């Protein structure tokens, strides 16, 4: 079974631009979560989507948004990019909506560099 | 709020040495605990997990025991290999009706031949 896939793997943007990242979950998985990884802040939860609805959101500004399609694929959008948005963005999928025992499986990430 | 504290790295060991990476947590309710590993240039891979007190998770020679009384989930391996060099993250899920993974800062392990 194929794992979580993310595209593109690398991106270079300039301040003020916007960017869209894509994530395809493991086949049959219906929940997709997004995380930001930076050297300073570590791994931080952005949001979770399940059944095309945002179920949970981390402490990030409104410039960070996402959506999920009927086939469970998800996109994340960052508008008005700032230098501090440079990070590795990780997508994770799970079979059902996140619960206390649910395991998330991660993709390889999209590395975003904002110049 | 929920938090995970891992021992600071980096940790450098010789091949076949014993490994311990300490992890303690603070959480409401009864969290599930995880260890993830990140190899250079890659995403996170689940290494092992435990979902209730006294559970022992194990995989690829690594193991960790969920200790509720000490709120700990230390990672151990009896004999490390060069291929174990990676960053290790301790994590938990909890949060009432809004579950998410909360991660520690990560511990870089380097194993020399």
């Amino acid at each position: 079974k194929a794992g979580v896939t993310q595209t593109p793997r690398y991106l270079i943007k300039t301040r003020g631009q916007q960017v869209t990242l894509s994530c395809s979950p493991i086949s049959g998985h219906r929940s997709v979560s997004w995380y930001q990884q930076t050297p300073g802040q570590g791994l931080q939860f952005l949001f979770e989507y399940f059944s095309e609805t945002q179920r949970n959101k981390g402490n990030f500004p409104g410039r960070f948004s996402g959506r999920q399609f009927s086939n469970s694929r998800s996109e994340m959008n960052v508008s008005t990019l700032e230098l501090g948005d440079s990070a590795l963005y990780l997508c994770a999928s799970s079979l059902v909506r996140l619960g206390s025992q649910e395991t998330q499986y991660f993709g390889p990430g999209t590395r975003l560099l904002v110049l | 709020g929920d938090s995970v504290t891992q021992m600071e790295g980096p940790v450098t060991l010789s091949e076949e040495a014993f490994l311990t990476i300490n992890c303690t947590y603070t959480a409401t309710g009864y969290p599930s605990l995880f260890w993830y590993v990140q190899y250079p240039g890659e995403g996170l891979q689940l290494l092992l997990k435990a979902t209730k007190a006294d559970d022992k998770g194990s995989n690829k020679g690594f193991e960790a025991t969920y200790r509720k009384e000490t709120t700990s989930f230390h990672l151990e391996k009896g004999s490390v290999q060069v291929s174990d060099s990676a960053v290790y993250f301790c994590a938990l899920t909890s949060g009432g009706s809004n579950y998410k993974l909360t991660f520690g800062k990560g511990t870089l392990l380097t194993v020399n031949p």
Side-chain angles (χ1 to χ4, degrees), chain B residues 41-105:
Chain B
E42 298 184 13
L44 300 176
Q45 296 179 25
L46 176 67
L47 184 57
L48 53 85
K49 73 174 189 179
T51 58
K52 61 183 188 297
D54 300 324
D55 265 3
K56 178 185 283 189
S58 61
N59 185 29
K60 299 180 182 180
F62 291 90
E63 57 182 38
T65 302
Y66 188 142
R67 301 286 189 200
K68 191 168 185 298
E69 63 277 11
T70 55
T71 61
S72 65
F73 193 54
H74 305 320
L75 182 68
E76 296 182 335
K77 186 176 186 183
S79 176
V80 293
Q81 306 299 312
V82 172
S83 57
D84 294 327
S85 298
V87 180
Y88 292 81
F89 292 92
C90 185
L92 63 83
T93 53
S94 70
S97 60
N98 290 316
Y99 290 95
K100 64 183 191 327
L101 274 170
T102 299
F103 288 90
K105 295 279 189 193

Side-chain angles (χ1 to χ4, degrees), chain A residues 11 22 30 48 76 78 82 101:
Chain A
L11 265 179
S22 181
R30 296 168 59 201
E48 180 204 5
M76 190 191 94
V78 187
E82 301 177 359
Q101 300 186 19

Side-chain angles (χ1 to χ4, degrees), chain A residues 35 37 100-101 103-104 106, chain B residues 32 36 38 46 49 93 101:
Chain A
Y35 293 82
Q37 185 179 22
S100 66
Q101 300 186 19
T103 298
Q104 294 180 66
F106 284 79
Chain B
S32 289
Y36 281 88
Q38 186 174 35
L46 176 67
K49 73 174 189 179
T93 53
L101 274 170

Side-chain angles (χ1 to χ4, degrees), chain A residues 76-94:
Chain A
M76 190 191 94
N77 185 277
V78 187
S79 62
T80 320
L81 284 166
E82 301 177 359
L83 295 179
D85 297 333
S86 295
L88 180 67
Y89 290 89
L90 293 164
C91 167
S93 76
S94 57

Side-chain angles (χ1 to χ4, degrees), chain B residues 11-12 14 26 33-34 73 91 104:
Chain B
V11 174
T12 303
S14 298
T26 302
L33 302 174
F34 303 82
F73 193 54

